[in-house]
Amino acid sequence: DAGVTQSPTHLIKTRGQHVTLRCSPISGHKSVSWYQQVLGQGPQFIFQYYEKEERGRGNFPDRFSARQFPNYSSELNVNALLLGDSALYLCASSFGQGDQPQHFGDGTRLSIL
Amino acid sequence: GNSVTQMEGPVTLSEEAFLTINCTYTATGYPSLFWYVQYPGEGLQLLLKATKADDKGSNKGFEATYRKETTSFHLEKGSVQVSDSAVYFCALTRILTGGGNKLTFGTGTQLKVEL
């Protein structure tokens, strides 16, 4: 079975631009979470979606937004990119909510010039 | 708020040595605890978990016991291999008011195993 898939794998943008990152969860998983991992740090929680509704939001500015589609895939959008947005963006899926293990994709490496 | 503290790395060991990576946490209630591993250029893989006090999670020779009295979840392996070289993250989960759950991670501990 396919794991969590993310696209693109790498992306280079300049300051002020907008970016969209995509994630397909493991088949049968209905919850998708997004994390930002800055080099040398642990991942930081951005959003969680379950059944197309936002179920949690981390401490990130409004430039960050996300949505989940009827097939449970998800997009993360970041507007007005800053140099500090350079990071590995990880998507994780789980079967449901509550105390469910989250399974991660390989991430999208975003570099801002 | 919730937080996770891990020992700083890198930890460098010879093959077949004993491994301990310390992890302590601060949390309200009784969170579930996890260890994730990240190989170079990859995402995080769930290594093991424990959901309540005194539970022992184990996988691929790695073990960790949920110690409520010391708020710890130390990772151990009796004999490491070169292939275990990676970054290890300790994490706890917190249930959110909207019904979701978020993982809170430590900063990670890099393990290097040499022949």
Side-chain angles (χ1 to χ4, degrees):
Chain A
D1 285 344
V4 176
T5 57
Q6 294 186 242
S7 63
T9 53
H10 294 86
L11 203 50
I12 299 174
K13 293 285 188 178
T14 57
R15 283 177 296 175
Q17 285 190 311
H18 160 271
V19 69
T20 297
L21 311 181
R22 295 177 174 84
C23 172
S24 293
I26 292 172
S27 177
H29 284 192
K30 299 181 179 180
S31 178
V32 169
S33 299
W34 288 95
Y35 291 82
Q36 180 195 65
Q37 185 180 18
V38 173
L39 194 63
Q41 299 293 318
Q44 297 291 316
F45 174 74
I46 309 175
F47 288 110
Q48 186 178 68
Y49 278 77
Y50 176 70
E51 292 287 10
K52 302 182 291 297
E53 290 188 9
E54 182 183 301
R55 302 293 182 150
R57 172 185 285 256
N59 188 24
F60 280 80
D62 291 343
R63 300 184 296 108
F64 289 75
S65 64
R67 56 180 174 168
Q68 186 178 34
F69 299 99
N71 66 354
Y72 303 109
S73 67
S74 178
E75 285 182 352
L76 175 70
N77 295 284
V78 187
N79 292 323
L81 287 166
L82 303 174
L83 292 177
D85 295 332
S86 295
L88 180 68
Y89 288 84
L90 295 165
C91 175
S93 75
S94 59
F95 178 74
Q97 291 191 268
D99 217 6
Q100 299 277 335
Q102 295 186 24
H103 301 269
F104 285 79
D106 286 341
T108 293
R109 173 72 62 188
L110 176 62
S111 298
I112 310 301
L113 303 180
Chain B
N2 296 344
S3 66
V4 176
T5 302
Q6 290 182 235
M7 61 188 289
E8 289 196 17
V11 173
T12 304
L13 296 173
S14 299
E15 202 171 41
E16 299 184 1
F18 184 84
L19 168 71
T20 299
I21 299 178
N22 291 336
C23 170
T24 57
Y25 67 91
T26 302
T28 53
Y30 303 102
S32 292
L33 301 174
F34 303 84
W35 278 100
Y36 281 85
V37 58
Q38 187 174 35
Y39 297 99
E42 298 184 8
L44 279 71
Q45 297 178 23
L46 178 63
L47 183 58
L48 54 83
K49 67 171 185 174
T51 58
K52 60 184 187 297
D54 300 325
D55 264 4
K56 177 185 282 189
S58 62
N59 186 27
K60 299 180 182 179
F62 291 90
E63 293 183 340
T65 301
Y66 191 141
R67 301 288 188 198
K68 187 175 63 135
E69 62 277 11
T70 54
T71 62
S72 65
F73 193 54
H74 304 320
L75 183 67
E76 296 181 337
K77 187 176 185 183
S79 176
V80 295
Q81 306 299 313
V82 172
S83 58
D84 294 326
S85 297
V87 180
Y88 292 81
F89 291 94
C90 183
L92 60 82
T93 192
R94 174 189 159 208
I95 306 302
L96 303 171
T97 53
N101 66 315
K102 66 175 254 189
L103 286 165
T104 298
F105 288 88
T107 54
T109 302
Q110 184 177 14
L111 171 65
K112 298 180 180 178
V113 181
E114 301 173 335
L115 289 172

